[in-house]
Amino acid sequence: MANPVDHLFFRAKLDPTAIAIQDMDRLITFGQLSILVKDIANKLRQSGIRPGQVVVTAIPDKYFDWIFTLALLHEATISCSNCQYLPSDSSLEYDWVITDRSVEHFAPEKTIQINQDW
């Protein structure tokens, strides 16, 4: 099965100005998205995320959640989107949580808190 990130990079080379993601207020081209995904993936790797690890994203903004999910795919992780700040099912064992705010029920040593600078 092809990795969606491979398709992203192919489209970025083929037509970098084509719109990749759009909502009512924002749009991003394939060229911009490919750069963002590579940059975020690099930061995630530097933060300690490794291939095969389970990473939960708790980012309610679906636009950013999707971009981080693509970066996690780039890093060959197993991702799970929890678009709220609810505790995960106790049976879900995870290595990391990526979130945009401090949440008490996420273990601090397993939490990467992001902001707009990411």
PDB file of all heavy atoms in Angstrom, residues 14-44:
ATOM      1  N   LEU A  14       4.936  17.691  -9.298  1.00  0.00           N
ATOM      2  CA  LEU A  14       4.157  17.794 -10.523  1.00  0.00           C
ATOM      3  C   LEU A  14       3.483  19.164 -10.670  1.00  0.00           C
ATOM      4  O   LEU A  14       3.548  19.786 -11.729  1.00  0.00           O
ATOM      5  CB  LEU A  14       3.089  16.689 -10.531  1.00  0.00           C
ATOM      6  CG  LEU A  14       2.296  16.479 -11.797  1.00  0.00           C
ATOM      7  CD1 LEU A  14       3.206  15.995 -12.925  1.00  0.00           C
ATOM      8  CD2 LEU A  14       1.197  15.449 -11.543  1.00  0.00           C
ATOM      9  N   ASP A  15       2.874  19.643  -9.600  1.00  0.00           N
ATOM     10  CA  ASP A  15       2.143  20.914  -9.652  1.00  0.00           C
ATOM     11  C   ASP A  15       2.158  21.564  -8.268  1.00  0.00           C
ATOM     12  O   ASP A  15       1.180  21.479  -7.521  1.00  0.00           O
ATOM     13  CB  ASP A  15       0.708  20.675 -10.113  1.00  0.00           C
ATOM     14  CG  ASP A  15      -0.035  21.971 -10.413  1.00  0.00           C
ATOM     15  OD1 ASP A  15       0.559  23.070 -10.280  1.00  0.00           O
ATOM     16  OD2 ASP A  15      -1.216  21.879 -10.788  1.00  0.00           O
ATOM     17  N   PRO A  16       3.273  22.201  -7.898  1.00  0.00           N
ATOM     18  CA  PRO A  16       3.421  22.731  -6.539  1.00  0.00           C
ATOM     19  C   PRO A  16       2.417  23.820  -6.169  1.00  0.00           C
ATOM     20  O   PRO A  16       2.176  24.047  -4.986  1.00  0.00           O
ATOM     21  CB  PRO A  16       4.843  23.280  -6.513  1.00  0.00           C
ATOM     22  CG  PRO A  16       5.236  23.454  -7.939  1.00  0.00           C
ATOM     23  CD  PRO A  16       4.442  22.466  -8.724  1.00  0.00           C
ATOM     24  N   THR A  17       1.798  24.469  -7.150  1.00  0.00           N
ATOM     25  CA  THR A  17       0.858  25.554  -6.832  1.00  0.00           C
ATOM     26  C   THR A  17      -0.593  25.079  -6.720  1.00  0.00           C
ATOM     27  O   THR A  17      -1.470  25.870  -6.374  1.00  0.00           O
ATOM     28  CB  THR A  17       0.948  26.676  -7.877  1.00  0.00           C
ATOM     29  OG1 THR A  17       0.613  26.146  -9.160  1.00  0.00           O
ATOM     30  CG2 THR A  17       2.345  27.291  -7.901  1.00  0.00           C
ATOM     31  N   ALA A  18      -0.847  23.802  -6.994  1.00  0.00           N
ATOM     32  CA  ALA A  18      -2.205  23.267  -6.866  1.00  0.00           C
ATOM     33  C   ALA A  18      -2.597  23.222  -5.388  1.00  0.00           C
ATOM     34  O   ALA A  18      -1.766  22.972  -4.523  1.00  0.00           O
ATOM     35  CB  ALA A  18      -2.288  21.869  -7.470  1.00  0.00           C
ATOM     36  N   ILE A  19      -3.864  23.452  -5.126  1.00  0.00           N
ATOM     37  CA  ILE A  19      -4.352  23.463  -3.742  1.00  0.00           C
ATOM     38  C   ILE A  19      -4.432  22.042  -3.208  1.00  0.00           C
ATOM     39  O   ILE A  19      -5.044  21.165  -3.815  1.00  0.00           O
ATOM     40  CB  ILE A  19      -5.726  24.151  -3.664  1.00  0.00           C
ATOM     41  CG1 ILE A  19      -5.609  25.609  -4.090  1.00  0.00           C
ATOM     42  CG2 ILE A  19      -6.302  24.040  -2.252  1.00  0.00           C
ATOM     43  CD1 ILE A  19      -6.929  26.324  -4.234  1.00  0.00           C
ATOM     44  N   ALA A  20      -3.811  21.837  -2.047  1.00  0.00           N
ATOM     45  CA  ALA A  20      -3.803  20.526  -1.400  1.00  0.00           C
ATOM     46  C   ALA A  20      -4.849  20.444  -0.295  1.00  0.00           C
ATOM     47  O   ALA A  20      -5.536  19.441  -0.152  1.00  0.00           O
ATOM     48  CB  ALA A  20      -2.422  20.232  -0.821  1.00  0.00           C
ATOM     49  N   ILE A  21      -4.964  21.495   0.515  1.00  0.00           N
ATOM     50  CA  ILE A  21      -5.925  21.548   1.619  1.00  0.00           C
ATOM     51  C   ILE A  21      -6.564  22.932   1.611  1.00  0.00           C
ATOM     52  O   ILE A  21      -5.862  23.935   1.473  1.00  0.00           O
ATOM     53  CB  ILE A  21      -5.251  21.332   2.991  1.00  0.00           C
ATOM     54  CG1 ILE A  21      -4.483  20.014   3.041  1.00  0.00           C
ATOM     55  CG2 ILE A  21      -6.285  21.379   4.111  1.00  0.00           C
ATOM     56  CD1 ILE A  21      -3.691  19.825   4.322  1.00  0.00           C
ATOM     57  N   GLN A  22      -7.868  22.961   1.811  1.00  0.00           N
ATOM     58  CA  GLN A  22      -8.551  24.245   1.865  1.00  0.00           C
ATOM     59  C   GLN A  22      -9.727  24.138   2.819  1.00  0.00           C
ATOM     60  O   GLN A  22     -10.426  23.129   2.860  1.00  0.00           O
ATOM     61  CB  GLN A  22      -9.043  24.638   0.476  1.00  0.00           C
ATOM     62  CG  GLN A  22      -9.708  25.982   0.425  1.00  0.00           C
ATOM     63  CD  GLN A  22     -10.046  26.415  -0.997  1.00  0.00           C
ATOM     64  OE1 GLN A  22      -9.833  25.666  -1.947  1.00  0.00           O
ATOM     65  NE2 GLN A  22     -10.559  27.606  -1.139  1.00  0.00           N
ATOM     66  N   ASP A  23      -9.921  25.187   3.611  1.00  0.00           N
ATOM     67  CA  ASP A  23     -11.145  25.320   4.383  1.00  0.00           C
ATOM     68  C   ASP A  23     -11.675  26.722   4.141  1.00  0.00           C
ATOM     69  O   ASP A  23     -11.226  27.406   3.223  1.00  0.00           O
ATOM     70  CB  ASP A  23     -10.940  24.980   5.862  1.00  0.00           C
ATOM     71  CG  ASP A  23     -10.036  25.947   6.612  1.00  0.00           C
ATOM     72  OD1 ASP A  23      -9.689  27.019   6.073  1.00  0.00           O
ATOM     73  OD2 ASP A  23      -9.672  25.639   7.760  1.00  0.00           O
ATOM     74  N   MET A  24     -12.608  27.166   4.931  1.00  0.00           N
ATOM     75  CA  MET A  24     -13.246  28.454   4.678  1.00  0.00           C
ATOM     76  C   MET A  24     -12.278  29.629   4.813  1.00  0.00           C
ATOM     77  O   MET A  24     -12.464  30.663   4.188  1.00  0.00           O
ATOM     78  CB  MET A  24     -14.431  28.658   5.627  1.00  0.00           C
ATOM     79  CG  MET A  24     -15.518  27.613   5.442  1.00  0.00           C
ATOM     80  SD  MET A  24     -16.147  27.504   3.761  1.00  0.00           S
ATOM     81  CE  MET A  24     -17.201  28.921   3.725  1.00  0.00           C
ATOM     82  N   ASP A  25     -11.245  29.474   5.627  1.00  0.00           N
ATOM     83  CA  ASP A  25     -10.339  30.590   5.916  1.00  0.00           C
ATOM     84  C   ASP A  25      -8.917  30.414   5.400  1.00  0.00           C
ATOM     85  O   ASP A  25      -8.148  31.360   5.392  1.00  0.00           O
ATOM     86  CB  ASP A  25     -10.271  30.814   7.434  1.00  0.00           C
ATOM     87  CG  ASP A  25     -11.637  31.055   8.039  1.00  0.00           C
ATOM     88  OD1 ASP A  25     -12.401  31.847   7.460  1.00  0.00           O
ATOM     89  OD2 ASP A  25     -11.939  30.431   9.077  1.00  0.00           O
ATOM     90  N   ARG A  26      -8.551  29.202   5.036  1.00  0.00           N
ATOM     91  CA  ARG A  26      -7.147  28.929   4.708  1.00  0.00           C
ATOM     92  C   ARG A  26      -7.047  28.024   3.497  1.00  0.00           C
ATOM     93  O   ARG A  26      -7.947  27.251   3.208  1.00  0.00           O
ATOM     94  CB  ARG A  26      -6.449  28.223   5.880  1.00  0.00           C
ATOM     95  CG  ARG A  26      -6.560  28.931   7.183  1.00  0.00           C
ATOM     96  CD  ARG A  26      -6.104  28.057   8.318  1.00  0.00           C
ATOM     97  NE  ARG A  26      -7.161  27.113   8.677  1.00  0.00           N
ATOM     98  CZ  ARG A  26      -7.243  26.478   9.835  1.00  0.00           C
ATOM     99  NH1 ARG A  26      -6.313  26.640  10.738  1.00  0.00           N
ATOM    100  NH2 ARG A  26      -8.220  25.659  10.099  1.00  0.00           N
ATOM    101  N   LEU A  27      -5.903  28.124   2.848  1.00  0.00           N
ATOM    102  CA  LEU A  27      -5.575  27.136   1.828  1.00  0.00           C
ATOM    103  C   LEU A  27      -4.066  26.965   1.811  1.00  0.00           C
ATOM    104  O   LEU A  27      -3.314  27.839   2.202  1.00  0.00           O
ATOM    105  CB  LEU A  27      -6.114  27.509   0.447  1.00  0.00           C
ATOM    106  CG  LEU A  27      -5.528  28.688  -0.317  1.00  0.00           C
ATOM    107  CD1 LEU A  27      -4.273  28.296  -1.075  1.00  0.00           C
ATOM    108  CD2 LEU A  27      -6.571  29.176  -1.302  1.00  0.00           C
ATOM    109  N   ILE A  28      -3.674  25.790   1.392  1.00  0.00           N
ATOM    110  CA  ILE A  28      -2.248  25.479   1.311  1.00  0.00           C
ATOM    111  C   ILE A  28      -2.015  24.664   0.051  1.00  0.00           C
ATOM    112  O   ILE A  28      -2.817  23.800  -0.305  1.00  0.00           O
ATOM    113  CB  ILE A  28      -1.779  24.739   2.588  1.00  0.00           C
ATOM    114  CG1 ILE A  28      -0.278  24.583   2.606  1.00  0.00           C
ATOM    115  CG2 ILE A  28      -2.464  23.415   2.739  1.00  0.00           C
ATOM    116  CD1 ILE A  28       0.266  24.128   3.948  1.00  0.00           C
ATOM    117  N   THR A  29      -0.945  24.986  -0.648  1.00  0.00           N
ATOM    118  CA  THR A  29      -0.628  24.286  -1.897  1.00  0.00           C
ATOM    119  C   THR A  29       0.162  23.016  -1.600  1.00  0.00           C
ATOM    120  O   THR A  29       0.676  22.824  -0.493  1.00  0.00           O
ATOM    121  CB  THR A  29       0.208  25.177  -2.824  1.00  0.00           C
ATOM    122  OG1 THR A  29       1.485  25.399  -2.213  1.00  0.00           O
ATOM    123  CG2 THR A  29      -0.493  26.503  -3.109  1.00  0.00           C
ATOM    124  N   PHE A  30       0.256  22.167  -2.620  1.00  0.00           N
ATOM    125  CA  PHE A  30       1.046  20.946  -2.456  1.00  0.00           C
ATOM    126  C   PHE A  30       2.511  21.270  -2.169  1.00  0.00           C
ATOM    127  O   PHE A  30       3.154  20.605  -1.364  1.00  0.00           O
ATOM    128  CB  PHE A  30       0.935  20.049  -3.701  1.00  0.00           C
ATOM    129  CG  PHE A  30      -0.305  19.218  -3.707  1.00  0.00           C
ATOM    130  CD1 PHE A  30      -1.411  19.614  -4.448  1.00  0.00           C
ATOM    131  CD2 PHE A  30      -0.391  18.057  -2.969  1.00  0.00           C
ATOM    132  CE1 PHE A  30      -2.574  18.857  -4.460  1.00  0.00           C
ATOM    133  CE2 PHE A  30      -1.542  17.284  -2.963  1.00  0.00           C
ATOM    134  CZ  PHE A  30      -2.643  17.689  -3.710  1.00  0.00           C
ATOM    135  N   GLY A  31       3.043  22.307  -2.807  1.00  0.00           N
ATOM    136  CA  GLY A  31       4.428  22.697  -2.552  1.00  0.00           C
ATOM    137  C   GLY A  31       4.626  23.139  -1.113  1.00  0.00           C
ATOM    138  O   GLY A  31       5.581  22.720  -0.443  1.00  0.00           O
ATOM    139  N   GLN A  32       3.719  23.981  -0.620  1.00  0.00           N
ATOM    140  CA  GLN A  32       3.815  24.442   0.772  1.00  0.00           C
ATOM    141  C   GLN A  32       3.626  23.288   1.743  1.00  0.00           C
ATOM    142  O   GLN A  32       4.346  23.183   2.735  1.00  0.00           O
ATOM    143  CB  GLN A  32       2.747  25.509   1.042  1.00  0.00           C
ATOM    144  CG  GLN A  32       2.951  26.794   0.278  1.00  0.00           C
ATOM    145  CD  GLN A  32       1.716  27.685   0.330  1.00  0.00           C
ATOM    146  OE1 GLN A  32       0.577  27.213   0.331  1.00  0.00           O
ATOM    147  NE2 GLN A  32       1.952  28.992   0.356  1.00  0.00           N
ATOM    148  N   LEU A  33       2.666  22.425   1.458  1.00  0.00           N
ATOM    149  CA  LEU A  33       2.384  21.297   2.344  1.00  0.00           C
ATOM    150  C   LEU A  33       3.569  20.346   2.429  1.00  0.00           C
ATOM    151  O   LEU A  33       3.907  19.865   3.513  1.00  0.00           O
ATOM    152  CB  LEU A  33       1.123  20.560   1.879  1.00  0.00           C
ATOM    153  CG  LEU A  33       0.660  19.398   2.754  1.00  0.00           C
ATOM    154  CD1 LEU A  33       0.388  19.859   4.189  1.00  0.00           C
ATOM    155  CD2 LEU A  33      -0.581  18.746   2.141  1.00  0.00           C
ATOM    156  N   SER A  34       4.208  20.077   1.319  1.00  0.00           N
ATOM    157  CA  SER A  34       5.352  19.153   1.352  1.00  0.00           C
ATOM    158  C   SER A  34       6.484  19.716   2.212  1.00  0.00           C
ATOM    159  O   SER A  34       7.123  18.981   2.966  1.00  0.00           O
ATOM    160  CB  SER A  34       5.841  18.827  -0.062  1.00  0.00           C
ATOM    161  OG  SER A  34       6.431  19.959  -0.662  1.00  0.00           O
ATOM    162  N   ILE A  35       6.709  21.021   2.138  1.00  0.00           N
ATOM    163  CA  ILE A  35       7.746  21.650   2.969  1.00  0.00           C
ATOM    164  C   ILE A  35       7.345  21.574   4.442  1.00  0.00           C
ATOM    165  O   ILE A  35       8.164  21.219   5.298  1.00  0.00           O
ATOM    166  CB  ILE A  35       7.987  23.105   2.532  1.00  0.00           C
ATOM    167  CG1 ILE A  35       8.648  23.125   1.144  1.00  0.00           C
ATOM    168  CG2 ILE A  35       8.830  23.863   3.543  1.00  0.00           C
ATOM    169  CD1 ILE A  35       8.662  24.493   0.486  1.00  0.00           C
ATOM    170  N   LEU A  36       6.092  21.902   4.736  1.00  0.00           N
ATOM    171  CA  LEU A  36       5.606  21.847   6.124  1.00  0.00           C
ATOM    172  C   LEU A  36       5.736  20.445   6.711  1.00  0.00           C
ATOM    173  O   LEU A  36       6.194  20.277   7.843  1.00  0.00           O
ATOM    174  CB  LEU A  36       4.134  22.251   6.173  1.00  0.00           C
ATOM    175  CG  LEU A  36       3.784  23.660   6.535  1.00  0.00           C
ATOM    176  CD1 LEU A  36       2.287  23.879   6.432  1.00  0.00           C
ATOM    177  CD2 LEU A  36       4.289  24.041   7.890  1.00  0.00           C
ATOM    178  N   VAL A  37       5.301  19.452   5.957  1.00  0.00           N
ATOM    179  CA  VAL A  37       5.342  18.071   6.436  1.00  0.00           C
ATOM    180  C   VAL A  37       6.780  17.654   6.737  1.00  0.00           C
ATOM    181  O   VAL A  37       7.066  17.070   7.780  1.00  0.00           O
ATOM    182  CB  VAL A  37       4.664  17.113   5.429  1.00  0.00           C
ATOM    183  CG1 VAL A  37       4.998  15.661   5.731  1.00  0.00           C
ATOM    184  CG2 VAL A  37       3.160  17.343   5.438  1.00  0.00           C
ATOM    185  N   LYS A  38       7.704  17.974   5.848  1.00  0.00           N
ATOM    186  CA  LYS A  38       9.114  17.630   6.077  1.00  0.00           C
ATOM    187  C   LYS A  38       9.669  18.351   7.307  1.00  0.00           C
ATOM    188  O   LYS A  38      10.380  17.745   8.119  1.00  0.00           O
ATOM    189  CB  LYS A  38       9.962  17.966   4.854  1.00  0.00           C
ATOM    190  CG  LYS A  38       9.741  17.046   3.686  1.00  0.00           C
ATOM    191  CD  LYS A  38      10.544  17.508   2.472  1.00  0.00           C
ATOM    192  CE  LYS A  38      10.194  16.716   1.241  1.00  0.00           C
ATOM    193  NZ  LYS A  38      10.898  17.208   0.038  1.00  0.00           N
ATOM    194  N   ASP A  39       9.344  19.635   7.462  1.00  0.00           N
ATOM    195  CA  ASP A  39       9.837  20.410   8.608  1.00  0.00           C
ATOM    196  C   ASP A  39       9.267  19.882   9.923  1.00  0.00           C
ATOM    197  O   ASP A  39       9.997  19.719  10.904  1.00  0.00           O
ATOM    198  CB  ASP A  39       9.494  21.894   8.462  1.00  0.00           C
ATOM    199  CG  ASP A  39      10.303  22.601   7.393  1.00  0.00           C
ATOM    200  OD1 ASP A  39      11.295  22.015   6.890  1.00  0.00           O
ATOM    201  OD2 ASP A  39       9.948  23.741   7.042  1.00  0.00           O
ATOM    202  N   ILE A  40       7.964  19.616   9.951  1.00  0.00           N
ATOM    203  CA  ILE A  40       7.337  19.103  11.171  1.00  0.00           C
ATOM    204  C   ILE A  40       7.860  17.708  11.484  1.00  0.00           C
ATOM    205  O   ILE A  40       8.149  17.388  12.637  1.00  0.00           O
ATOM    206  CB  ILE A  40       5.800  19.125  11.050  1.00  0.00           C
ATOM    207  CG1 ILE A  40       5.312  20.572  11.036  1.00  0.00           C
ATOM    208  CG2 ILE A  40       5.149  18.341  12.181  1.00  0.00           C
ATOM    209  CD1 ILE A  40       3.846  20.733  10.699  1.00  0.00           C
ATOM    210  N   ALA A  41       8.005  16.861  10.468  1.00  0.00           N
ATOM    211  CA  ALA A  41       8.549  15.520  10.683  1.00  0.00           C
ATOM    212  C   ALA A  41       9.945  15.591  11.296  1.00  0.00           C
ATOM    213  O   ALA A  41      10.270  14.826  12.209  1.00  0.00           O
ATOM    214  CB  ALA A  41       8.578  14.742   9.362  1.00  0.00           C
ATOM    215  N   ASN A  42      10.750  16.511  10.823  1.00  0.00           N
ATOM    216  CA  ASN A  42      12.094  16.688  11.368  1.00  0.00           C
ATOM    217  C   ASN A  42      12.033  17.094  12.846  1.00  0.00           C
ATOM    218  O   ASN A  42      12.763  16.548  13.674  1.00  0.00           O
ATOM    219  CB  ASN A  42      12.858  17.728  10.556  1.00  0.00           C
ATOM    220  CG  ASN A  42      14.297  17.848  10.992  1.00  0.00           C
ATOM    221  OD1 ASN A  42      14.970  16.853  11.217  1.00  0.00           O
ATOM    222  ND2 ASN A  42      14.766  19.076  11.124  1.00  0.00           N
ATOM    223  N   LYS A  43      11.139  18.032  13.185  1.00  0.00           N
ATOM    224  CA  LYS A  43      10.993  18.455  14.588  1.00  0.00           C
ATOM    225  C   LYS A  43      10.492  17.303  15.458  1.00  0.00           C
ATOM    226  O   LYS A  43      10.935  17.148  16.599  1.00  0.00           O
ATOM    227  CB  LYS A  43      10.033  19.636  14.699  1.00  0.00           C
ATOM    228  CG  LYS A  43      10.637  20.957  14.325  1.00  0.00           C
ATOM    229  CD  LYS A  43       9.646  22.071  14.613  1.00  0.00           C
ATOM    230  CE  LYS A  43      10.285  23.421  14.411  1.00  0.00           C
ATOM    231  NZ  LYS A  43       9.393  24.513  14.830  1.00  0.00           N
ATOM    232  N   LEU A  44       9.561  16.514  14.933  1.00  0.00           N
ATOM    233  CA  LEU A  44       9.057  15.374  15.692  1.00  0.00           C
ATOM    234  C   LEU A  44      10.172  14.360  15.948  1.00  0.00           C
ATOM    235  O   LEU A  44      10.295  13.821  17.042  1.00  0.00           O
ATOM    236  CB  LEU A  44       7.885  14.718  14.961  1.00  0.00           C
ATOM    237  CG  LEU A  44       6.620  15.563  14.841  1.00  0.00           C
ATOM    238  CD1 LEU A  44       5.586  14.861  13.965  1.00  0.00           C
ATOM    239  CD2 LEU A  44       6.046  15.882  16.213  1.00  0.00           C
TER     240      LEU A  44
END
